[in-house]
Amino acid sequence: MNESSPLLVVVDAANVVGSVPDGWWRDRRGAAERLRDRLATEGVPGVSGPVEIVLVVEGAAREVESVPGVRVSSAPGSGDDHIVEVVSSAGERPVLVITADRELRRRVGELGADVAGPRTVRP
């Protein structure tokens, strides 16, 4: 790993938002925007040093826009496949993927990414 590159944190928006039954299904876009805003304000708890945060959105949340501190990447199809593409394109950078999806965890782990659960960024 190239330790001089900032940590790339890739957040599975649908999985993280869906981890708490707070009515997110009534407003998927709004829920993704709230997660984006929390990440922009608070960053990733427990992670020190420079980070680049990429929030991967899909479906009804595709219209969510980037803000300073969080780049939003809209999946043209499957969010999981898009996350794998983002991780694949990271090269030698250290990568942390935030998701609880077991299959996605396996796929990005095979690419060398570290994985953490939704509680990492959503209490």
Side-chain angles (χ1 to χ4, degrees):
M1 298 264 176
N2 183 350
E3 297 303 322
S4 64
S5 297
L7 174 66
L8 176 62
V9 179
V10 183
V11 181
D12 181 351
N15 188 270
V16 171
V17 165
S19 69
V20 178
D22 62 359
W24 59 264
W25 52 88
R26 291 188 293 270
D27 182 10
R28 294 170 193 258
R29 179 180 176 175
E33 288 172 337
R34 287 188 296 278
L35 174 59
R36 176 204 60 198
D37 294 347
R38 184 179 314 114
L39 290 167
T41 303
E42 300 173 13
V44 181
V47 174
S48 60
V51 298
E52 176 186 354
I53 300 173
V54 176
L55 181 66
V56 175
V57 296
E58 60 186 295
R62 278 196 185 104
E63 302 298 317
V64 173
E65 297 181 6
S66 297
V67 296
V70 179
R71 179 168 54 94
V72 176
S73 183
S74 296
S78 159
D80 290 359
D81 290 345
H82 190 65
I83 290 168
V84 170
E85 289 174 18
V86 170
V87 172
S88 294
S89 67
E92 295 297 311
R93 289 179 73 174
V95 179
L96 174 64
V97 176
I98 309 293
T99 187
D101 183 294
R102 288 183 187 160
E103 177 62 13
L104 179 57
R105 291 169 77 100
R106 182 194 63 76
R107 291 172 67 192
V108 297
E110 288 176 352
L111 296 172
D114 290 322
V115 183
R119 287 193 178 134
T120 303
V121 294
R122 184 163 186 188

